[in-house]
């Protein structure tokens, strides 16, 4: 009996292995639009797909980012400037992409642009701190997707949204975690709505990686604490700040540097005939955050509160 079940499981994994290695044909004729290509995952992905022969439309926030990317890629890759928080800018980028792809449509849309400027207990932050992150990570992603969808649908292509393991398990306060939870929800509904049109939607859930998205978030927490009203400082105390600072710095220090772990997942979502719904990238995403997200809430809450000392005025 057990041997039979083991054989079935092995056969299932073998079929999945074979299925996921079936590639889309004529990749060199397909266009992929990527946001946030100045640095990090977007920059790495643009160079990687260009080397594979795909026609990359890379959007950068700054002229310097676009210029640097053009220097290290082929003539197939084209760049444009894009601020995803500016609707008029997104509309202009969409029109530019339309002229580039012509009747072929857009095979891939990769929503990669994102920031994580402030990580701190929620009470330490202002509404504006949340809005700044949500405007890029969520609303910008939605705006780009909605305006580009006719091009993607024409090609019966792919939408790949950059989420995070923080979209599965909330580990810290600030706008980043809510934005990624919302990206998960938007992507799930989008996947079901676009499936009848032959469009596939995938979500990328990286763990901690050394990209510009997470630069200086540890140091920023001290600035936030120093500018808080005195009564909130007294509630939490210096000991709590020190513990939170060590926690964030540890996350930064343990960040993985091999960006290919993420960009390979995105490439698979774009080039496989049978892309996955979700991709977990990095050892921490696979073995820590994903596993912990299935635990009872009482257990994850206990672990979280165990990491930090109690606030100074805790009951």
């Amino acid at each position: 009996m057990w041997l039979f079940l083991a054989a079935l499981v092995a056969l299932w994994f073998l079929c999945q292995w074979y299925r996921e290695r079936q590639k889309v044909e004529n990749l060199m004729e397909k266009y992929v639009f990527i946001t946030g290509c100045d640095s990090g995952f977007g920059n790495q992905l643009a160079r990687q797909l260009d080397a594979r022969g795909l026609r990359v439309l890379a959007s950068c926030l700054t002229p310097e980012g676009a210029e640097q990317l053009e220097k290290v890629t082929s003539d197939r890759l084209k760049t444009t400037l894009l601020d995803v928080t500016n609707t008029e800018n997104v509309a202009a980028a969409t029109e530019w992409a339309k002229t580039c792809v012509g009747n072929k449509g857009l095979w891939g849309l990769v929503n990669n642009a994102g920031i994580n400027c402030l990580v701190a207990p929620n009470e330490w932050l202002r509404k504006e701190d949340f809005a700044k992150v949500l405007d890029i990570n969520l609303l910008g992603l939605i705006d780009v997707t909605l305006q580009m969808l006719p091009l993607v649908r024409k090609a019966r292509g792919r939408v790949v949204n950059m989420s995070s393991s923080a979209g599965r398990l909330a580990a810290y306060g600030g706008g980043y975690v809510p934005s990624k939870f919302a990206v998960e929800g938007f992507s799930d509904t989008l996947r079901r709505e676009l499936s009848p049109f032959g469009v596939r939607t995938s979500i990328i859930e990286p763990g901690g990686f050394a990209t510009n998205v997470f630069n200086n978030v540890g140091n920023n927490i001290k600035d936030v604490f120093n500018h808080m009203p005195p009564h909130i400082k007294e509630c939490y105390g210096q000991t709590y700040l020190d513990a939170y600072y060590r926690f964030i710095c540890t996350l930064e220090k343990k960040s993985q540097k091999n960006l290919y772990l993420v960009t390979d997942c995105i490439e698979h979502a774009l080039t496989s005939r049978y892309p996955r719904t979700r991709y977990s990238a990095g050892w921490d995403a696979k073995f820590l955050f994903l596993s912990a997200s299935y635990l009872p809430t009482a257990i994850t809450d206990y672990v979280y509160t165990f990491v930090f000392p109690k606030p100074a005025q805790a009951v």
Side-chain angles (χ1 to χ4, degrees):
M1 177 64 180
W2 291 110
L3 184 61
F4 177 72
L5 290 176
L8 284 179
V9 171
L11 180 61
W12 183 86
F13 277 108
L14 182 62
C15 290
Q16 284 293 104
W17 178 85
Y18 176 78
R19 192 170 186 264
E20 289 193 349
R21 276 153 182 75
Q22 305 305 303
K23 296 296 182 181
V24 173
E25 298 178 352
N26 302 319
L27 285 174
M28 298 184 68
E29 299 177 8
K30 298 189 182 300
Y31 289 85
V32 177
F33 186 94
I34 310 168
T35 65
C37 293
D38 296 79
S39 60
F41 299 135
N43 186 276
Q44 173 66 47
L45 179 67
R47 291 184 281 115
Q48 184 171 330
L49 295 183
D50 177 65
R52 283 289 307 272
L54 279 78
R55 299 182 179 274
V56 178
L57 306 178
S59 67
C60 298
L61 182 61
T62 65
E64 294 78 16
E67 183 179 347
Q68 290 297 321
L69 183 58
E70 288 174 346
K71 287 181 179 179
V72 295
T73 52
S74 72
D75 294 337
R76 289 188 304 274
L77 183 142
K78 301 181 184 299
T79 61
T80 188
L81 299 182
L82 174 62
D83 177 359
V84 297
T85 66
N86 186 316
T87 297
E88 290 74 20
N89 202 189
V90 174
T94 303
E95 287 301 316
W96 172 79
K98 189 182 297 184
T99 61
C100 292
V101 303
N103 294 326
K104 293 180 180 294
L106 185 63
W107 172 255
L109 169 61
V110 181
N111 285 304
N112 165 73
I115 62 168
N116 187 20
C117 53
L118 284 175
V119 172
N122 292 314
E123 191 180 8
W124 297 12
L125 304 174
R126 304 164 301 164
K127 175 184 175 182
E128 293 78 14
D129 298 324
F130 289 88
K132 182 178 180 180
V133 179
L134 290 166
D135 203 20
I136 297 174
N137 294 5
L138 176 62
L139 299 180
L141 179 149
I142 291 174
D143 195 11
V144 172
T145 301
L146 295 180
Q147 297 207 43
M148 292 276 185
L149 272 184
L151 298 178
V152 179
R153 189 164 51 240
K154 186 171 186 178
R156 298 171 65 87
R158 309 285 169 81
V159 177
V160 182
N161 289 334
M162 182 65 72
S163 181
S164 169
S165 57
R168 287 284 195 117
L169 183 69
Y172 42 78
Y176 186 78
V177 169
S179 73
K180 295 306 182 181
F181 267 84
V183 167
E184 296 272 339
F186 174 72
S187 301
D188 281 344
T189 56
L190 194 71
R191 182 181 66 253
R192 298 176 189 122
E193 293 167 355
L194 296 182
S195 178
F197 298 102
V199 175
R200 302 290 188 92
T201 302
S202 297
I203 307 171
I204 311 298
E205 299 172 336
F209 281 85
T211 69
N212 287 349
V213 172
F214 290 96
N215 277 356
N216 297 319
V217 291
N219 291 329
N220 289 341
I221 191 174
K222 291 188 173 181
D223 293 333
V224 171
F225 187 80
N226 291 332
H227 290 87
M228 284 193 306
H231 70 277
I232 298 182
K233 288 184 181 180
E234 293 173 4
C235 283
Y236 286 88
Q238 185 67 39
T239 302
Y240 191 90
L241 168 65
D242 293 340
Y244 210 100
Y245 177 77
R246 287 195 300 271
F247 171 67
I248 298 303
C249 288
T250 299
L251 291 181
E252 289 182 331
K253 194 176 297 184
K254 298 293 184 181
S255 294
Q256 299 159 94
K257 295 178 173 57
N258 184 9
L259 303 188
Y260 281 104
L261 295 174
V262 177
T263 56
D264 285 350
C265 290
I266 302 175
E267 181 181 332
H268 185 272
L270 292 169
T271 62
S272 173
R273 290 179 61 189
Y274 306 101
R276 301 178 191 175
T277 300
R278 281 177 168 81
Y279 293 82
S280 293
W283 66 265
D284 52 347
K286 293 177 183 293
F287 302 111
L288 180 58
F289 291 104
L290 182 60
S291 301
S293 68
Y294 290 106
L295 292 174
T297 303
I299 295 178
T300 54
D301 286 354
Y302 175 80
V303 172
Y304 180 84
T305 54
F306 179 78
V307 172
F308 305 106
K310 288 186 177 181
Q313 296 184 7
V315 178

